[in-house]
Amino acid sequence: MNTVYTETLISLRDKLAAHEITATQAVQACLDRIAATEPALHALLAIDADNALAQARALDAQGYDASKALWGVPVTIKDALSTQGLATTAGSAMLAGFVPVYDAFVVQKLKEAGAIILGKNNMDEFAMGSTTEKSAFQVTGNPWDMSRVPGGSSGGSAASVAACQCFASLGSDTGGSIRQPASLCGCVGLKPTYGRVSRYGLIAYGSSLDQVGPLTRTVADCALVLQTIAGYDERDSTSDPRPVDDYMAALGARRDLTGIKLGVPQEFFGEGLSAEVRHACEAALKKAQELGASLVPISMPHTNAAIATYYIIAMAEASSNLARFDGVRYGHRSPAPEQLQDLYVKSRSEGFGEEVQRRIMLGTYVLSSGYYDAYYRKAAQVRRLIRNDYEQALQHCDIICAPASPVTAWKAGSHSQNPLEMYLMDVYTLSLNLAGLPGLSLPVGKGEESGLPVGMQLFGRAFDEATLLAVGHVLEQALPSFGLPAL
Amino acid sequence: MPTQSVSVADVTTMAQLARLDVPEEHKEQLARQFGDILAYMDVLSSIDTSTVEPLYSPVLHKAAPRPDIAVNTRQREAMLHNSPAQNSEYFTVPRIV
């Protein structure tokens, strides 16, 4: 494949700048690619073709503007992010037909930078899932093998990027929802530090965990998108005021990994990790050593408590956040309720899917009188111990390395009857959200058995996305490229 | 941490608190699933947290106060637009009194 849509974002930007291609041609190439792949892939819940083409023509008429970092670049957005005038459902029947009256901060930033939004990506309902099978509307395929899941909850975003429907997508990550689908689809995905990117306009799931971040085909593309969306926003009280680093400069400044200490936590490479994922990660670590990095064995003793801690906190926060869906101001309303209480109960029961209802009920339970201390407060205490583990580990190394998923992409439908089994699959991603630290998922090879992409995570210090991106970039250049899926 | 199994009556209470209506025929399966999940959460009870302060948010900065100025960012018509029932001035709900 060597066509416009298979370019990297950076290479497309350079061609747009050099007038080798127009914004209209770039958008049309993606729309053609969407038309060819979407009937089988189902990565998009809304396609805004007419508006995208109109914007591209308007940009072409004005001429290339070097001050806009993403001028003419076609992108897609996870359906958890508000897009003014473009349907936003969070993958839920509760929000079928909902059309936001404002843009999320990150969407506004992309538009200001000249990006063109092609459509909205499928996702697990309200981001509660790890396969994108929990969407109320459709099941997204994995571009590498359509019978397999793309991961989740930002599975539509990862599938769109891997299938070259767009040049980048934005996802959200509450417990791995950017990094895990990026890994299963062979993309780069980054969860920024808590507070680095505003969540204004993100439909909330777990507010002390949620972050928005990019999914792209290369680390440099990821750096450019993060540069565009990072920064202070007074409309998100958790938004951090410190200045944003120059990520592209950080990429340019590093040629090898001399002086970099990579921490390898024994708990992340133990029981439960498939042999092929282990081998691909170990090969990447060996390559990092050849590039000058040193490997440091580390221990994160509370890792085995992370899943329980995470799910208690995430479900508690979800039960609170999703209380706003009551059938009054927006969303599904049950027809002909008898009285107000009936309106709430019926609207919520009809609008929410099974997994969302399960998490709301468990979240309500762990916050209820008599159980609050035993579950919610206890989990918050263990959360501090987990963060302490990260802080101590990062005193001995610059970056912590971990697999992104214990296995490569699995067959659709294989875990649908057992929610707990599904929760356990998030073991390598979710503790990072508890700690609030940044993490990059990098494709490091294909599984020797499955032939499917394997991702390795790089965890860093708070607000040190620059080091993650620079190290990821060097490693990416040195590892053999495994190309794009044949779709 | 309690390690009790979850009964169908517990599921009914949880659903009521969450303003959800769970069909009777699903309650037994949910009770089993909740029992399994809560039993798994029991891993936390083995960790000594007697001297550990809870961490409810990973925020590393103090939220900066800003002037409390009312701004009319949205117009009524736009805000009512997504409501399932409204009378062009207000959201409407079934009669309460």
Side-chain angles (χ1 to χ4, degrees), chain A residues 28-50:
Chain A
Q28 192 59 57
C30 288
L31 291 174
D32 291 348
R33 181 66 177 161
I34 288 169
T37 54
E38 193 55 12
L41 192 63
H42 304 300
L44 292 159
L45 291 172
I47 301 168
D48 202 17
D50 291 348

Side-chain angles (χ1 to χ4, degrees), chain A residues 99 200 333 349 374 378 384, chain B residues 1 21 47 53 74 82 92:
Chain A
V99 181
Y200 177 77
R333 175 179 288 202
S349 305
K378 179 80 182 181
R384 184 175 295 282
Chain B
M1 182 169 297
D21 181 19
I47 300 171
E53 273 300 301
R74 318 258 179 262
N82 276 302
T92 57

